[in-house]
């Protein structure tokens, strides 16, 4: 598995990975999450242009997972990390997170941050195993508060969520 920058020609493949990964949410009764459309090609292209989109490429060089990030309050914020179900449970997501941590370190950021579902096994519990910790409300930065407000407006607070941080 090779981690590399995402290419603009792969954006529909990233959307396909996101749709395929919806199966996991359907299995635990989170159908609205499973059915939520992936980011548009235009939105994904913004991450590629900013140099903040990476893929895990399989044997033939085709993406099997991806991670996109933003810069939020001086840290690198993991906006999305998704692994195709056919490549799950092989350390691919962790490899993408490690790549993002290296990038954050190289940019002088103190941490990776993210928001996630607390009760989904491959969300907060998984990120905890990857070195992230749940932030208390008083630890949230203005940017993280704004992200949480946007998530709530999108209906994601129907299920418990949290902000997490990993020092790099």
């Amino acid at each position: 598995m090779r981690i590399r920058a995402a290419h603009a020609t792969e954006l529909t493949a990233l959307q396909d990975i996101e749709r395929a990964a919806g199966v996991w949410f359907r299995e635990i009764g989170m159908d609205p999450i499973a059915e939520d459309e992936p980011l548009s090609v235009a939105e994904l292209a913004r991450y590629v242009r900013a140099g903040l989109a990476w893929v895990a490429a399989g044997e033939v060089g085709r993406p099997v997972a991806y991670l996109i990030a933003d810069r939020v309050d001086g840290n690198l914020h993991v906006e999305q990390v998704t692994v195709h179900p056919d490549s799950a449970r092989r350390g691919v997501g962790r490899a993408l997170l490690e790549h993002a941590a290296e990038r954050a370190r190289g940019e002088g950021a103190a941490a990776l941050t993210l928001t996630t579902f607390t009760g989904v096994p491959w969300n907060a519990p998984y990120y905890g195993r990857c070195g992230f910790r749940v932030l208390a409300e008083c630890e949230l930065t203005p940017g993280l508060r704004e992200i949480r407000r946007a998530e709530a407006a999108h209906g994601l607070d129907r299920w418990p969520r949290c902000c997490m941080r990993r020092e790099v």
Side-chain angles (χ1 to χ4, degrees), residues 83-136:
V83 179
H84 192 284
D86 293 343
S87 296
R89 298 184 177 102
R90 295 183 185 148
V92 178
R94 187 180 294 261
L96 283 164
L97 289 168
E98 290 306 319
H99 183 83
E102 276 183 39
R103 174 68 179 262
R105 225 179 345 269
E107 292 182 358
L112 288 178
T113 59
L114 56 81
T115 61
T116 194
F117 295 109
T118 60
V120 175
W122 60 91
N123 278 195
Y126 169 76
Y127 294 122
R129 292 189 302 276
C130 292
F132 287 82
R133 68 176 179 82
V134 174
L135 294 175

Side-chain angles (χ1 to χ4, degrees), residues 107-163:
E107 292 182 358
L112 288 178
T113 59
L114 56 81
T115 61
T116 194
F117 295 109
T118 60
V120 175
W122 60 91
N123 278 195
Y126 169 76
Y127 294 122
R129 292 189 302 276
C130 292
F132 287 82
R133 68 176 179 82
V134 174
L135 294 175
E137 187 69 24
C138 64
E139 294 179 284
L140 300 186
T141 62
L144 290 175
R145 287 182 195 284
E146 181 54 37
I147 289 168
R148 289 290 294 119
R149 273 192 289 279
E151 290 175 347
H154 190 68
L156 294 180
D157 277 6
R158 185 170 160 193
W159 302 274
R161 290 184 64 77
C162 67
C163 293

Side-chain angles (χ1 to χ4, degrees), residues 17-140:
I17 290 167
E18 186 71 23
R19 287 185 189 103
V23 68
W24 303 115
F25 287 100
R26 267 187 214 87
E27 288 180 359
I28 62 168
M30 294 175 71
D31 291 4
I33 299 301
E35 293 161 9
D36 198 25
E37 273 299 301
L39 292 177
S40 70
V41 166
E43 290 169 306
L44 291 168
R46 180 180 65 82
Y47 289 98
V48 170
R49 284 191 304 274
L52 295 171
W54 301 279
V55 299
E59 292 176 19
V60 295
R62 186 166 170 80
V64 299
Y66 73 98
L67 185 150
I68 55 176
D70 282 313
R71 292 180 183 95
V72 175
D73 299 323
N75 296 309
L76 196 60
H77 182 78
V78 177
E79 187 60 37
Q80 180 75 37
V81 58
T82 305
V83 179
H84 192 284
D86 293 343
S87 296
R89 298 184 177 102
R90 295 183 185 148
V92 178
R94 187 180 294 261
L96 283 164
L97 289 168
E98 290 306 319
H99 183 83
E102 276 183 39
R103 174 68 179 262
R105 225 179 345 269
E107 292 182 358
L112 288 178
T113 59
L114 56 81
T115 61
T116 194
F117 295 109
T118 60
V120 175
W122 60 91
N123 278 195
Y126 169 76
Y127 294 122
R129 292 189 302 276
C130 292
F132 287 82
R133 68 176 179 82
V134 174
L135 294 175
E137 187 69 24
C138 64
E139 294 179 284
L140 300 186

